[in-house]
Amino acid sequence: MNYYYYQPQQMMQMIPIQYAAPKGTDNFRTSIIYLVDTLEREPKQNYTITQLCNRFGFQRRRFYDVVNVLESAGCCQKTNVDCFTWLGLKNVKNHLQNLNDEVNQKFAGADLNEIFYTGDSVTISNLTLQFLLSFIAFNRPNLDIKQISNFLSRNNNRFKTTLCKLYQISHILEVVGIISKTMVPGEVLLKEGFFPQIKVKESHDQLDLGSLLSRPVENLGSHIFSERWSVFNKVQELNFTRAPILMYPSLVTV
């Protein structure tokens, strides 16, 4: 299969190859906006990462991060190491709906350690997928990034690395409009237009009082979500009660 960089003449006139963001702006943010706006005009085309990277003024490493995040969100699909096909932002909800079908129907009774695999390798692609999966598995549109970092690093002690990468991931997803910040510091919202229709295998569960008292959302009455959220909160409690590392000043003799 031949891969090519699709660049219609009208796009070349709109955004020159030697594009540079205006001074005083966030170059990384602006480059992402211009990139996605261009790709949305010509979906389902093949693009080469090298040429797009040069065209929109990305550092190569950061551009790979953007592509990996967008691929895990369902916006695009890599066809080889340097090429990808743009599927469009409209494909994100379909992608998340498929995740819901896997997690809340096919494997509704699965243990959270099976749903959220936490290995020693903390990659952008895997973290993005697990970050978005968190909204679905816990059936909550609002989540705290630090709490998610605690949960996703519960078995590998890579909290700082996980948190740093989740901030980067959330920034990219926010720029393209998939998530947004809330009024609560550190909390993000999966926008309604992308939140899938949550369906679970069991539909006649009784409401759980503890879950209702903790910022209830639609369908939270299912004991599946209540049990998952209980495990999530236990992880937070363990991290909160963990003894801090204290630094004592050395004795200075005069």
Side-chain angles (χ1 to χ4, degrees), residues 124-149:
I124 287 286
S125 296
N126 186 46
L127 272 182
T128 302
L129 185 62
Q130 295 200 40
F131 177 55
L132 292 171
L133 187 60
S134 299
F135 294 97
I136 300 169
F138 298 117
N139 191 21
R140 288 176 176 260
N142 296 33
L143 290 173
D144 182 274
I145 293 179
K146 286 187 177 180
Q147 291 182 350
I148 291 297
S149 298

Side-chain angles (χ1 to χ4, degrees), residues 167-196:
Y167 275 128
Q168 182 180 355
I169 291 166
S170 63
H171 177 69
I172 295 171
L173 293 177
E174 182 195 0
V175 171
V176 301
I178 296 175
I179 67 172
S180 62
K181 295 178 181 178
T182 71
M183 297 298 291
V184 180
E187 187 179 73
V188 292
L189 165 74
L190 178 60
K191 290 189 175 180
E192 184 177 356
F194 297 102
F195 203 92

